[in-house]
């Protein structure tokens, strides 16, 4: 009977304060971990997923974008709107989406569950309108903050789908 139920471990891997998983495509992301000793290697993640799968548990990985991502810029400061306005992730920077693509590419080799969680909650987009270059990008693209948020979420979803995932957002 227990195996007829869907058992899921929702692993909220990264958050505002810490990026503890080493990502081969972008190794400096884990510079945002609480400390050097508080990191997971890809092999650690593989072991956790295998351990769970042997017990009938799927591991749902979550990266929370575009908010809750202050830790991302510790290793890659260009992901921040500015040094003083560190989240949400920079919607105007193509590098932001290349990093998300790299993370999800690496995830797809570890997290075999068909779903990935992209977060999307509690996003204060004011940095996008108070950072001059992002404000200019918004004007250039005819977007307000809500449009930019929708653009970000849909682009992140498209990236996840390209890696074979189905999407969950808050």
């Amino acid at each position: 009977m227990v195996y007829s139920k869907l058992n899921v471990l929702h692993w909220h891997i990264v958050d505002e304060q810490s990026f503890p998983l080493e990502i081969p495509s972008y190794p400096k992301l884990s510079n945002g971990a609480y400390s050097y000793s508080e990191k997971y290697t890809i092999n650690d993640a593989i072991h956790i997923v295998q351990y769970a799968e042997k017990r009938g548990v799927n591991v749902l990985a979550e990266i929370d974008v575009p908010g809750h991502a202050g830790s991302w810029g510790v290793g890659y400061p260009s992901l921040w709107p500015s040094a003083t306005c560190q989240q949400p992730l920079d919607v105007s920077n193509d590098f932001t989406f290349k990093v998300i693509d790299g993370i999800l590419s690496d995830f797809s080799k570890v997290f075999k569950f068909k779903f990935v969680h992209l977060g999307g909650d509690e996003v204060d987009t004011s940095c996008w309108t108070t950072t001059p270059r992002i404000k200019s990008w918004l004007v250039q693209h005819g977007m307000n903050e809500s449009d930019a948020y929708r653009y970000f979420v849909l682009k992140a979803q498209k990236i996840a789908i390209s890696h074979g995932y189905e999407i969950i957002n808050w």
Side-chain angles (χ1 to χ4, degrees), residues 6 12 14 18 33 39 46 52 58 81 88 125-127 137-138 162:
L6 179 61
H12 197 303
V14 300
S18 181
K39 293 182 184 183
I46 289 169
N58 291 301
T125 57
S126 61
C127 278
W137 183 89
L138 291 173
S162 78

Side-chain angles (χ1 to χ4, degrees), residues 65-66 89 91 96-97 100 128 148-156:
V65 295
L89 294 171
V91 67
T96 299
F97 298 100
I100 292 170
W128 291 346
Y149 172 77
R150 183 173 33 261
Y151 168 84
F152 193 110
V153 168
L154 292 175
K155 192 164 183 175

Side-chain angles (χ1 to χ4, degrees), residues 133-161:
R133 65 179 170 72
I134 298 175
K135 176 71 173 169
S136 175
W137 183 89
L138 291 173
V139 169
Q140 230 175 26
H141 289 84
M143 292 185 196
N144 61 28
E145 290 176 64
S146 295
D147 297 330
Y149 172 77
R150 183 173 33 261
Y151 168 84
F152 193 110
V153 168
L154 292 175
K155 192 164 183 175
Q157 288 177 348
K158 185 177 178 181
I159 292 167
I161 290 166

